[in-house]
Amino acid sequence: MSLAVFDAPSPNHDARPEGGAVDTLVLHYTGMQTGEAAIARLRDPAAKVSSHYVVEEDGRVFALVPEARRAWHAGLSWWRGHLSLNDRSIGIEIVNPGHEWGYRDFPPAQIEAVIALCGGILGRHPIPARNVVAHSDIAPERKDDPGERFPWERLAEAGIGLWPGQAPEEARALPPIMIGEDGPGVRALRQTLRRIGYRVVPEGAHDRTLAVTVTAFQRHWAQHRTDGVADGETRWRAGRVLGLAEGRVRGA
C-alpha cells in the first residue's frame, strides 16, 4: 500500500552511540484518549518522550524523529542482553487508548499501514525477525503494550516478526505450571524465555517476577491468556518461538 506520511517533528531525540547498528524494532500503543493528544505529548519538550513514527487509526503515519537519531520511546528496557534499547531501535507508536482508556481492536487500515511502515524499516536496517518486539517484551514489569489484541500473527504473515502457529492438542492438554511450583519444567521455561530474549534468571521457582514475564510473552505470542500461568499451549509456543528465532524450525 502507499503510505500517507506527514512530518510532525519532535525535538525529543539525540545522537545514537557512534558505530552502533539499528537492530531492533519496538511496537507500542499510545495509551492515550486520542491520537492528537499522543502526538502532542511526543512533541512536547517537557515530556522528554518521543518515537520515530506514530500510526493513526485511519492509517495516516506521522514521522517525528529521523531513523538515524535516537528517539526516547523504550525507557528502562532489556532484550537479548542489551540495556537501553533506545540506542539500537526504531520505535513506532500505534494509536490505541490502551488498557487504561478502553482497549480496543486495531482497525484494518491502521494495521496495513503498520505493515507497510515496518516493511520499509526492515528494508533499511538489519533487524532480525526475533528483534521485532513489543514494548511489553522489553519492559514487562512496566508496560503492557501493544497488548493482546494486537495482531502479531497478521504481521508475521507479511514477513514481520515471528509467529509460532497453532499448538497441537497434546500440548494444550498438558497441566499448567502455577506460581510456587518448581522443578525441571520451570527451569526449562526460564531457559526458553531467556534464550528468546527476556531478562529472566536461569533458576528458581515460578514466582511473581517470572509470571510477569510469562504474561508479556502471552500478550505477544500466546494471546489465548494473559495471566502468567504457563499452560501447555504457552510452553509449546515459547519453544516454537525459540526454534524459529534460532533457525531450528521453519514457519508454516
Side-chain angles (χ1 to χ4, degrees):
M1 65 175 292
S2 178
L3 282 177
V5 181
F6 301 89
D7 288 329
S10 170
N12 301 334
H13 57 85
D14 58 3
R16 295 187 186 275
E18 188 173 352
V22 172
D23 65 1
T24 309
L25 177 58
V26 183
L27 304 190
H28 309 247
Y29 64 40
T30 52
M32 297 183 69
Q33 290 175 294
T34 67
E36 291 82 357
I39 291 170
R41 184 168 188 270
L42 293 166
R43 300 179 70 195
D44 180 0
K48 300 187 186 306
V49 293
S50 61
S51 63
H52 293 90
Y53 300 98
V54 176
V55 182
E56 258 287 7
E57 290 186 298
D58 61 6
R60 289 174 295 155
V61 175
F62 294 86
L64 278 65
V65 174
E67 292 178 13
R69 300 286 289 175
R70 177 170 57 188
W72 305 338
H73 61 98
L76 295 173
S77 51
W78 165 283
W79 189 249
R80 295 182 63 203
H82 299 294
L83 289 164
S84 304
L85 270 295
N86 283 340
D87 292 350
R88 59 195 312 119
S89 66
I90 301 288
I92 300 175
E93 290 276 1
I94 303 162
V95 173
N96 188 290
H99 294 82
E100 183 176 358
W101 298 105
Y103 190 39
R104 57 183 179 239
D105 288 342
F106 297 80
Q110 184 180 44
I111 295 305
E112 291 307 311
V114 169
I115 288 170
L117 177 61
C118 289
I121 292 168
L122 296 180
R124 293 187 289 273
H125 301 281
I127 299 174
R130 68 185 300 173
N131 283 359
V132 178
V133 293
H135 197 189
S136 54
D137 292 321
I138 64 172
E141 291 275 0
R142 300 187 302 110
K143 297 296 180 179
D144 300 330
D145 57 310
E148 62 277 6
R149 290 179 179 267
F150 189 74
W152 289 103
E153 182 178 10
R154 173 71 185 90
L155 268 66
E157 289 170 351
I160 299 158
L162 302 174
W163 186 254
Q166 185 67 37
E169 187 64 36
E170 57 268 27
R172 294 198 298 272
L174 292 173
I177 296 176
M178 314 290 286
I179 288 180
E181 292 186 37
D182 203 349
V186 179
R187 289 194 293 275
L189 176 64
R190 285 185 175 277
Q191 292 289 346
T192 298
L193 293 172
R194 185 182 176 90
R195 287 168 61 189
I196 289 170
Y198 293 96
R199 192 174 194 175
V200 175
V201 298
E203 298 289 338
H206 187 2
D207 57 11
R208 190 202 68 84
T209 300
L210 180 59
V212 167
T213 303
V214 171
T215 299
F217 175 85
Q218 290 170 330
R219 291 190 193 281
H220 188 158
W221 283 299
Q223 296 171 326
H224 64 290
R225 66 189 306 162
T226 56
D227 57 3
V229 173
D231 64 357
E233 180 159 357
T234 296
R235 282 179 282 152
W236 183 89
R237 287 173 175 265
R240 179 77 174 179
V241 169
L242 179 59
L244 290 167
E246 295 183 343
R248 293 183 286 104
V249 300
R250 299 181 64 181

